[in-house]
Amino acid sequence: LTTSSGDLYLARPGHDGERVAYRVIRTGLGRRCEIEGVEYVADQSLLYFACKTAREPGLDGTLTLLAWSPATRAEVAARTIRIPQGAFADLPGKGPVRPSGLARSPRDGSLVVTAAGHRALVTLSPAGDLV
């Protein structure tokens, strides 16, 4: 589970109504953008965090998925995915595509970004290319 500031909450699965211990890892990614979803990609050993609202100029004008390594507890800038907002000109709705969720397809490993404001799903290949 992640917060909009990129803090991770980790816990073991519990039974209905059971209280479980948890720990918090502060990724620091919230300084870069407001986070709206996280997904683990096991074959890359990375977590991808969906940026809803940019908080730094370098992320403006893009749909961005920040890559973060649980092993090193650091951002992996080389694996960050950025798609220019112009690539979504054909989607319904107005304004930039802002993620409202992120999931990985078990079928082919693609990343699927939910864009509720546009009533759309944006699919990215496992390599991060717009499908």
Side-chain angles (χ1 to χ4, degrees):
L1 178 68
T2 188
T3 65
S4 60
S5 61
D7 294 344
L8 285 171
Y9 282 73
L10 300 142
R12 67 167 178 78
H15 298 287
D16 187 22
E18 178 186 9
R19 292 179 186 252
V20 296
Y22 65 91
R23 63 187 173 114
V24 179
I25 297 174
R26 304 204 187 288
T27 66
L29 296 176
R31 291 187 305 268
R32 303 197 62 211
C33 63
E34 177 186 1
I35 303 297
E36 192 72 26
V38 63
E39 185 66 28
Y40 182 64
V41 178
D43 58 330
Q44 297 178 26
S45 299
L46 293 173
L47 285 165
Y48 282 94
F49 290 80
C51 288
K52 182 175 183 176
T53 306
R55 292 186 173 143
E56 63 180 41
L59 300 179
D60 282 338
T62 64
L63 173 87
T64 301
L65 303 180
L66 299 172
W68 190 83
S69 168
T72 63
R73 292 193 178 191
E75 184 177 355
V76 182
R79 297 307 305 254
T80 289
I81 298 168
R82 290 188 192 147
I83 308 291
Q85 287 286 345
F88 309 113
D90 293 337
L91 289 181
K94 295 180 181 177
V97 171
R98 298 190 191 279
S100 50
L102 179 62
R104 188 160 192 230
S105 170
R107 183 175 43 91
D108 64 2
S110 60
L111 289 166
V112 180
V113 178
T114 306
H118 286 269
R119 295 189 171 148
L121 297 174
V122 175
T123 303
L124 306 172
S125 73
D129 299 315
L130 183 60
V131 177

